[in-house]
Amino acid sequence: MTTDTTGTAARDGESRRSGPADSPFVRACRRESVPHTPVWFMRQAGRSLPEYREIRANVGMLDSCRRPDLVAEITLQPVRRHGVDAAILFSDIVVPVAAAGIDLDIVAGTGPVVAEPVRTAGDVERIHRIDRADVSYVEEAVRLLVAELGDTPLIGFAGAPFTLASYLVEGGPSRTHAKTKAMMYGQPELWHALCARLAEVTLSFLRVQIDAGVSAVQLFDSWAGALSEADYRRFVLPHSTAVLSGLADAGVPRIHFGVGTAELLGAMGEAGADVVGVDWRTPLDVATHRIGPDRAVQGNLDPTVLFAPWPVIEAEVRRIVAQGRDTPGHVFNLGHGVLPETDPEVLTRVVALVHEVSARRAEQG
Ligand code: CP3
């Protein structure tokens, strides 16, 4: 896969690099030349795959995240099936929060549900700092996977402070984030204390994954699009910056993603990401204009397009690959996660198409 390079950076080094750090995915994140546009899918490890449903049949979601053998198998399933350019660790954004002492569950069809929502300073204190020992199962799963994946990079991830705070304050998923915003506007000190603690937990969780060998990390701020840019900058950006800048010396690309973030793309890039995830509402070239030339972009096929007839999907994939050429670096992905009803064979076809239409021959440079 990496043998057909554009012939510049890879061959100029004194010795040819190989392994996940020289994979098309990591190279695109670093805005280096690539043999083809790399592609992976958010939520690729999950319910669209029958082999996933089978393995999860009698195991709860959080329990499965704590079993390294299951984590490794579920993480590998989409790599084997689709030939994606990266694996993403099977886990969930609330795993480190549970490890930090919050009583919660992940309810099928609903999402994370918190037994006692966080509303006071005492509640914030209940969220303790975490270290390796608290998430040893994640460390073990990453080690197993890195050994198994060879040249295919493994992406680690965590939830960003705002999105985590929303689940903790609301007690579960919310459309309006009303209680979260009430705390933000009404008790800003408490809000900042909560987000600062969540940033510490998130940073520790990502460090464990990086130390165990992941090749990149993605910070999911899925619900940040609920905020105006001014509120994002005041109430959220400092905390996401604490996480991403805390990893500046870690040597792996950092991806920062949210949904409905057209107005926030510039600010999200400023938080310290190397790559900014873009949903389907903003064309990639427009996104790059907002983010600036020193960051790559990731995205942005509307996940519901995968339910359209193939010629529609093909046209959209071609459009996005072409727009990605006008960015400093492009990782193909969906604009949000794979929907459970998606036909996995369509995902496999999309991977092949992205590779085919983006393949660069060596002499093209
Ligand atoms: O991307 C991957 O394949 C890796 C695994 C992954 C999961 N959750 C597994 C999962 C990742 C990266 C996440 C992140 C996550 N979790 C986010 C950020 C990404 C996003 O989609 O915006 C958020 C907001 C959560 C919280 C959460 N957990 C939700 C909203 C849900 C879905 C609820 C439902 O059942 O519809 C979950 C559960 C969850 N996380 C599942 C999976 C595979 C489904 C659990 C099951 O199979 O029963």
Side-chain angles (χ1 to χ4, degrees):
M1 193 162 33
T2 51
T3 50
D4 177 21
T5 72
T6 55
T8 51
R11 271 180 221 146
D12 287 345
E14 57 289 358
S15 66
R16 223 185 122 85
R17 289 180 290 164
S18 66
D22 197 37
S23 62
F25 165 74
V26 172
R27 292 182 61 86
C29 290
R30 293 204 191 105
R31 294 171 279 122
E32 296 171 356
S33 60
V34 286
H36 61 255
T37 301
V39 47
W40 68 282
F41 304 113
M42 292 183 278
R43 296 290 183 102
Q44 65 189 15
R47 287 175 299 174
S48 67
L49 300 184
E51 58 268 36
Y52 167 80
R53 290 195 291 267
E54 197 179 310
I55 207 170
R56 280 283 325 283
N58 296 306
V59 197
M61 177 64 193
L62 276 177
D63 288 341
S64 59
C65 294
R66 292 176 183 138
R67 283 184 46 186
D69 58 330
L70 280 190
V71 170
E73 171 57 24
I74 295 171
T75 301
L76 291 168
Q77 286 175 346
V79 180
R80 287 190 204 113
R81 189 190 255 267
H82 305 308
V84 280
D85 291 273
I88 180 157
L89 181 73
F90 180 77
S91 187
D92 194 85
I93 57 168
V94 295
V95 164
V97 181
I102 294 293
D103 182 4
L104 59 83
D105 197 9
I106 299 178
V107 180
T110 301
V113 176
V114 178
E116 291 174 58
V118 173
R119 304 276 161 78
T120 66
D123 294 338
V124 172
E125 279 312 306
R126 286 196 284 125
I127 310 170
H128 64 72
R129 295 175 179 86
I130 61 167
D131 61 25
R132 285 172 56 187
D134 295 303
V135 286
S136 53
Y137 43 87
V138 171
E139 184 177 3
E140 193 183 331
V142 171
R143 289 195 194 286
L144 285 174
L145 279 161
V146 169
E148 195 72 31
L149 279 162
D151 288 348
T152 303
L154 175 65
I155 304 169
F157 74 92
F162 176 78
T163 292
L164 290 178
S166 173
Y167 283 110
L168 293 185
V169 176
E170 305 288 337
S174 165
R175 209 165 40 81
T176 58
H177 309 278
K179 295 189 179 77
T180 312
K181 289 185 176 185
M183 182 192 284
M184 206 172 82
Y185 297 125
Q187 296 170 278
E189 278 182 26
L190 179 59
W191 170 260
H192 284 296
L194 170 60
C195 287
R197 177 56 55 92
L198 291 172
E200 283 183 83
V201 170
T202 294
L203 183 55
S204 302
F205 188 56
L206 290 172
R207 280 237 174 248
V208 170
Q209 296 174 56
I210 292 169
D211 290 345
V214 299
S215 294
V217 289
Q218 176 154 326
L219 188 65
F220 281 95
D221 209 352
S222 301
W223 312 140
L227 298 169
S228 69
E229 186 186 350
D231 287 345
Y232 177 84
R233 285 186 178 279
R234 183 164 162 214
F235 293 110
V236 175
L237 182 59
H239 304 292
S240 295
T241 303
V243 177
L244 291 167
S245 64
L247 299 173
D249 62 353
V252 300
R254 298 153 295 173
I255 309 168
H256 196 187
F257 167 78
V259 184
T261 54
E263 301 302 323
L264 305 181
L265 289 170
M268 289 182 77
E270 284 171 38
D274 304 287
V275 184
V276 178
V278 181
D279 81 7
W280 60 92
R281 295 171 181 89
T282 313
L284 292 178
D285 47 351
V286 175
T288 277
H289 193 68
R290 294 181 184 174
I291 295 161
D294 48 359
R295 292 188 167 80
V297 291
Q298 176 174 279
N300 68 346
L301 182 68
D302 183 338
T304 65
V305 165
L306 298 171
F307 299 95
W310 177 253
V312 177
I313 302 173
E314 176 167 1
E316 281 295 277
V317 169
R318 286 180 182 277
R319 175 183 66 77
I320 290 164
V321 169
Q323 277 168 349
R325 290 212 175 92
D326 292 329
T327 70
H330 177 213
V331 175
F332 192 102
N333 205 314
L334 304 181
H336 198 181
V338 175
L339 294 165
E341 308 79 20
T342 306
D343 178 354
E345 288 182 16
V346 173
L347 291 172
T348 307
R349 277 184 90 175
V350 168
V351 172
L353 180 64
V354 171
H355 287 167
E356 182 196 319
V357 301
S358 66
R360 293 152 174 75
R361 279 174 297 127
E363 64 269 25
Q364 282 181 329

